[in-house]
Amino acid sequence: MSAAPTPATGPVLEISGLRIGLPAGGDRSEAVSDVSFSVAPGEIVCLVGESGSGKSVIAFSAMGLLPRNLPVKSGSISLHGENLVGASIERLRELRCTRMGMIFQEPMTALNPVMRCGDQIDEVLREHTGLSQAERRQRIIAMIEQVHLPDPVRMFDSYPHQLSGGQRQRIMIAMALILEPSLLIADEPTTALDVTTQAQILKLIKELQVERGTGVLFITHDFGVVAEIADRVAVLRNGELVEMGPTQQILTAPRHPYTKMLIASVPSHDPPARAAVASGDDRVVLRAEGLSKTYGSSGLFGRGRKVAAVRDVAFDIRRGETLGIVGESGSGKSTVARCVARLIDPSAGRILLADTDIATMPAGRLRELRRKIQIIFQDPYRSLNPRRTVGQAIVEGPMNYGASAAEALGRARKLMELVRLDPDSLDRYPHQFSGGQRQRICIARALAMEPEVLIADEAVSALDVSVQAQVLKLLEEIRHSLNLAVLFITHDLRVAAQICDKVAVMSKGEIVEYGSAAQVFGAPVHEYTRALFEAAPGRHFHFGGTEAALPAQG
């Protein structure tokens, strides 16, 4: 919670009796129903709730960015006392950036890929100020420096794809704050970031908010972030505001059953006692030895640039066991997963599936073994073909490996039951399911191949806490019932603590710590591991306990 004083000039943002309609045929008639709350200068209000609760609809309505099929039916949205509902496009364009700014969830889609980052920030200044080109450039470079980006001149001249995810998010923050708006709306700005980058972004937002007395409406499904940054919390469910209050009260003594359910879904940093792998069949299914992946080439006269994404990685996974790989973005986690699945070719080392080395196996022989290693990706919507039914997605693999249409369809129906979806919905398309349901479909598709190894690459990072808890529980049940070996890639340390038997911590392409979850989380040895755990938002907070206290802010 920030220590910035609240001036007596009234709220920066005041939402009163807001009702926003939904198109006909939806699961409810309104996206937002009679919602009222305010954001004061120098205050951070976190808006939480499951996907579809109306969080982003409220944010986009405040910015005047709602599509026409989501009309404001009644109520007001006041920015410093000026009602924005019904304001002209010209007036809203004038207020954006000058009085209110927004940080979007995914900077790579929010930024123009063919414009330099500095030029994109410059668009705001050209539109809203009369500064000369030299004055604008000077101001932009100063702002880039203020958001703690290295080499501001180089950052000005870089394109978005040349920056890391955390750097792109800082560019978005610089763009949102370049004209010092009094209201900042942040829509899931740290969801896709690893814990250390996330900690840096949260610290940056708090610093700028305190320095400028900015009111912040922060949308998130991460309660660790809420504990770290919020002054007050507003809880939305199905478009209705069910609870609002100080952060301490909401997180430690929630009153509404829905809030209690959300808090109870937050995974703990403390690993639970886990049953040993069944002794009947605990053979090593997957082993990596000296696994390395190098990108680049030697170039002309041997002077090319090479980057070692993975160096000398070794681990093993037994049947019924889950190995978690954690680390920052760029640490090599996903590269290891893609090497193991032979989606990319390793540069050196061995990958033993049972006793067969698949690291250098040619594609012709590899085809028969591919079904034994299946992968679940982070974004289920992009993993599924939007033009094919989910039934077609699930039966495709088995049919490619010789199963009849009737056999594959029968297996698909059983798998839909296994992942707790209606088998009669196999003829529906991906867009007709929620995010959590689509991820269950991706799990069913992977299991249709009857694999021995299941790779989950950030498979729950985009899900809200309650859906995440359901999918994690489902993965655990499937692992036990099918006795699968699971390689679980994640940047969420709470999730890793709850689901993994063993944990490998990666930094700069190397495993720096490896052991049981209890050992790694209970007594980390490597200084990088300790720094990683310390950076996790809400790391010292025990949710739902009356004895808990918020970490010191400042």
Side-chain angles (χ1 to χ4, degrees):
M1 292 177 291
S2 66
T6 302
T9 54
V12 176
L13 175 70
E14 186 167 19
I15 293 176
S16 179
L18 184 64
R19 292 183 180 274
I20 299 174
L22 279 174
D27 58 350
R28 61 182 193 261
S29 60
E30 294 180 334
V32 175
S33 301
D34 196 24
V35 168
S36 300
F37 68 89
S38 63
V39 180
E43 180 184 41
I44 299 179
V45 173
C46 274
L47 207 53
V48 301
E50 295 174 288
S51 298
S53 61
K55 306 186 301 295
S56 293
V57 171
I58 290 175
F60 278 76
S61 67
M63 293 292 293
L65 297 175
L66 281 182
R68 291 184 178 181
N69 64 344
L70 295 180
V72 176
K73 296 166 68 174
S74 62
S76 62
I77 304 170
S78 298
L79 181 68
H80 287 298
E82 179 181 352
N83 189 5
L84 304 183
V85 175
S88 67
I89 294 175
E90 291 75 18
R91 179 56 177 161
L92 289 170
R93 186 179 294 125
E94 182 182 344
L95 291 173
R96 292 180 198 131
C97 297
T98 60
R99 303 285 294 277
M100 54 183 176
M102 188 165 184
I103 309 168
F104 297 94
Q105 178 174 349
E106 179 44 67
M108 195 61 183
T109 56
L111 294 170
N112 189 329
V114 298
M115 285 184 68
R116 297 183 306 167
C117 293
D119 291 335
Q120 296 190 54
I121 302 173
D122 191 34
E123 279 190 320
V124 178
L125 295 179
R126 289 202 312 269
E127 178 71 22
H128 296 287
T129 74
L131 297 174
S132 68
Q133 182 177 356
E135 290 171 328
R136 296 196 309 269
R137 181 180 174 86
Q138 184 179 9
R139 187 164 176 176
I140 293 166
I141 289 175
M143 189 69 222
I144 292 175
E145 188 173 10
Q146 193 172 357
V147 297
H148 305 313
L149 279 168
D151 196 350
V153 173
R154 181 175 66 84
M155 290 292 163
F156 185 105
D157 293 325
S158 297
Y159 291 89
H161 73 273
Q162 296 175 305
L163 308 183
S164 70
Q167 289 173 332
R168 287 193 291 266
Q169 199 59 287
R170 289 168 188 267
I171 291 293
M172 283 290 299
I173 294 171
M175 189 182 304
L177 295 178
I178 189 68
L179 290 177
E180 302 188 2
S182 55
L183 173 67
L184 178 65
I185 299 175
D187 187 9
E188 299 274 13
T190 61
T191 297
L193 305 177
D194 59 66
V195 289
T196 49
T197 307
Q198 192 178 56
Q200 294 165 5
I201 295 297
L202 292 176
K203 182 181 178 183
L204 173 63
I205 290 174
K206 288 201 299 186
E207 283 177 358
L208 296 173
Q209 173 254 343
V210 170
E211 288 173 7
R212 298 165 180 239
T214 308
V216 178
L217 179 61
F218 198 105
I219 296 168
T220 184
H221 65 248
D222 188 330
F223 278 86
V225 170
V226 174
E228 201 76 29
I229 201 170
D231 293 297
R232 289 190 299 149
V233 182
V235 184
L236 283 176
R237 182 192 185 194
N238 294 333
E240 297 180 358
L241 185 64
V242 299
E243 188 165 2
M244 184 164 189
T247 305
Q248 178 78 32
Q249 179 261 306
I250 295 292
L251 297 187
T252 63
R255 299 188 179 98
H256 196 278
Y258 177 72
T259 311
K260 292 178 181 178
M261 182 277 292
L262 289 180
I263 300 297
S265 299
V266 179
S268 169
H269 272 299
D270 300 321
R274 295 175 67 82
V277 176
S279 58
D281 187 6
D282 62 351
R283 69 184 188 276
V284 172
V285 179
L286 182 71
R287 172 176 281 126
E289 298 176 350
L291 182 63
S292 299
K293 177 62 180 177
T294 301
Y295 292 99
S297 61
S298 56
L300 189 64
F301 306 116
R303 290 194 296 240
R305 182 170 180 261
K306 290 187 176 182
V307 176
V310 172
R311 287 192 294 265
D312 199 26
V313 162
F315 59 81
D316 60 61
I317 315 176
R318 299 177 181 275
R319 287 188 70 86
E321 186 176 62
T322 298
L323 169 66
I325 301 183
V326 302
E328 297 172 283
S329 298
S331 62
K333 307 186 302 295
S334 292
T335 302
V336 168
R338 283 160 171 73
C339 284
V340 168
R342 279 301 305 271
L343 298 179
I344 58 176
D345 296 331
S347 304
R350 300 206 301 166
I351 302 168
L352 298 172
L353 182 62
D355 296 321
T356 304
D357 185 6
I358 64 171
T360 56
M361 186 175 286
R365 290 182 56 206
L366 189 63
R367 184 183 184 280
E368 289 303 312
L369 294 173
R370 279 199 182 277
R371 67 175 185 80
K372 295 185 178 182
I373 302 178
Q374 292 295 301
I375 189 165
I376 306 165
F377 294 99
Q378 177 174 352
D379 187 341
Y381 195 70
R382 288 197 289 181
S383 299
L384 296 168
N385 187 332
R387 296 186 177 184
R388 306 192 72 191
T389 67
V390 299
Q392 290 172 324
I394 295 173
V395 304
E396 180 181 23
M399 290 180 65
N400 284 341
Y401 278 81
S404 67
E407 181 185 355
L409 182 59
R411 191 185 302 177
R413 292 184 67 85
K414 290 180 181 178
L415 286 168
M416 289 290 276
E417 291 178 352
L418 182 66
V419 299
R420 299 198 184 94
L421 291 174
D422 184 358
D424 292 335
S425 63
L426 284 170
D427 60 350
R428 293 166 59 188
Y429 289 87
H431 73 271
Q432 295 175 292
F433 295 87
S434 69
Q437 289 173 328
R438 286 195 291 266
Q439 198 59 290
R440 289 168 185 264
I441 291 164
C442 289
I443 293 171
R445 181 178 62 177
L447 295 177
M449 300 301 293
E450 299 180 338
E452 295 181 9
V453 178
L454 189 64
I455 301 174
D457 188 6
E458 299 282 10
V460 297
S461 64
L463 305 176
D464 55 62
V465 287
S466 57
V467 177
Q468 183 184 79
Q470 295 165 12
V471 173
L472 290 175
K473 183 179 179 183
L474 174 64
L475 283 172
E476 279 286 81
E477 291 173 354
I478 289 171
R479 177 184 72 115
H480 280 293
S481 63
L482 302 181
N483 207 22
L484 288 172
V486 179
L487 180 61
F488 196 92
I489 312 294
T490 184
H491 66 251
D492 191 326
L493 300 176
R494 291 179 182 273
V495 168
Q498 294 305 304
I499 201 170
C500 299
D501 299 290
K502 296 187 298 188
V503 175
V505 182
M506 289 196 72
S507 175
K508 298 178 181 177
E510 298 178 334
I511 291 179
V512 298
E513 189 151 355
Y514 182 71
S516 71
Q519 291 169 342
V520 173
F521 280 88
V525 175
H526 198 278
E527 60 182 63
Y528 173 79
T529 308
R530 293 195 294 268
L532 196 67
F533 292 172
E534 188 63 24
R539 58 202 174 277
H540 302 305
F541 196 88
H542 300 284
F543 294 91
T546 54
E547 78 287 349
L550 286 170
Q553 303 285 324

